[in-house]
Structure formats: C-alpha cells, structure tokens
Amino acid sequence: MASPTRRHHYNQDVARSCRPRSAGNALELLDGSLLIGPPPSVRHQVIVRGLTAALEPGCAAADRTLLPVINLRLNGTRILNPDLVVTAELDLTADCVPADPVLLVGEVTAPHTATIDRVLKPHLYATAGIKWYLLVEQESLSVNLYQLQGAHYVERSTTRTGEVLVLTEPVKATIRPEELLP
C-alpha cells in the first residue's frame, strides 16, 4: 500500500527563515507552496553581474539601491527572490524588501525557470505594482523591458546583441547585451 502524500502549507515566517539561494538553491514562497530551484549557473551569475554593473552608476546618481538576489515580499503569502531589484527605500533591519518601494525587478532566464520568468513572475510582479520588469534571455542575451500599464506589463523594447538599450526610468543606464558576458 502506498503511503499517503503529505502536503505542507508554508507561511511567510518559514520563507523569511530561508535565505535566498540557501545552500545554493533558490527558495521562494508562492501562496503557501515552497518553490525550490537549483542554483544558478555560472553564465547566469555573470549575466546578473553584468546587469548590476550597467545599472549601478544610474542607481547611485538617483539615490536608488540595487540589490542582487534578495527576498522580495510581494504580499503576506508571496516571497520571491529575483535576480535583482532597484528600490527607492531600504530597511537594513528587514528580512525582506517589500514590493512598494521597488521600482524595477530583473530576471535572467534559465532552462528550468524560463516559463516562470516569462509568464508567472511578470504576473506576480505586476499584481504587486512594480512599475518596470527587465528580462534577459540567457541564451540569446536579448534584453526585454516591460512597463506596468494598468494591471499588466507592456513591452517597451527588445534589445539584441549589437543594439543598445538606453534607460531613462527608473534610473539612467545603458545596457549592451554583448557586454553582459566577458
């Protein structure tokens, strides 16, 4: 006889006790379910570092904070850890960054998270009211910029290798996809 399946319902306290990418894994809370993903690849991490380098000067000039891999609390039952956020406010004593002051959230797709990064996360970030969503396709290095319009994101640009994305909001930055990798 097969043993019964046991379902766990996790809450914000459990998620807060889990650090982003704890033991190398990505841990996220979605409406009571704990999502566990494998650690990011070296390529993924280098692309995130390239994005950080491109965005950091504009963040500093605008008195904004750029945080890579942070617990982002969308609401009481949703805590995600995007690849980066740009925020207008920062509480250094908090376990999570609340969505309200977040101006931009960025994700880099991976083979195991591409659908989540393209479909689920934009919906969740839009529902939380985050104005800008930056999505980098890891394989092609295309950079897609979305702006919140009403309850959904609208694509503002797709920048491919050899092209330049010039951001004027929420911070000034220039992103060249080919410079995201050494």
Side-chain angles (χ1 to χ4, degrees):
M1 176 186 231
S3 60
T5 302
R6 184 171 178 186
R7 293 188 58 120
H8 296 280
H9 185 80
Y10 297 95
N11 63 25
Q12 188 171 348
D13 294 331
V14 170
R16 270 198 304 247
S17 69
C18 301
R19 297 293 175 228
R21 308 248 160 97
S22 175
N25 294 322
L27 302 172
E28 299 177 301
L29 179 68
L30 181 59
D31 298 335
S33 296
L34 193 59
L35 308 176
I36 303 171
S41 68
V42 171
R43 179 182 174 93
H44 184 109
Q45 293 176 67
V46 170
I47 293 169
V48 171
R49 178 64 194 114
L51 278 177
T52 301
L55 292 168
E56 188 61 48
C59 287
D63 197 28
R64 305 295 188 226
T65 303
L66 186 142
L67 299 167
V69 191
I70 191 76
N71 278 337
L72 174 61
R73 182 176 25 85
L74 302 180
N75 64 30
T77 64
R78 295 177 178 167
I79 298 176
L80 302 180
N81 39 75
D83 290 313
L84 62 86
V85 299
V86 173
T87 185
E89 297 173 17
L90 187 60
D91 177 357
L92 294 176
T93 64
D95 292 323
C96 299
V97 171
D100 291 344
V102 173
L103 306 171
L104 177 142
V105 63
E107 295 283 0
V108 176
T109 63
H112 57 277
T113 64
T115 301
I116 291 169
D117 293 336
R118 292 182 193 127
V119 180
L120 179 61
K121 284 190 172 184
H123 171 74
L124 297 173
Y125 296 145
T127 300
I130 298 171
K131 188 172 180 181
W132 296 95
Y133 181 56
L134 188 66
L135 178 66
V136 178
E137 296 289 341
Q138 188 177 150
E139 291 306 312
S140 68
L141 287 182
S142 66
V143 179
N144 306 288
L145 180 65
Y146 301 90
Q147 184 178 20
L148 188 62
Q149 198 166 65
H152 304 283
Y153 285 115
V154 174
E155 186 175 315
R156 291 296 175 212
S157 69
T158 296
T159 307
R160 294 175 178 79
T161 300
E163 300 174 343
V164 178
L165 172 60
V166 177
L167 291 178
T168 57
E169 289 184 66
V171 295
K172 292 181 180 181
T174 301
I175 299 173
R176 292 178 175 83
E178 65 274 10
E179 293 179 1
L180 298 178
L181 288 173

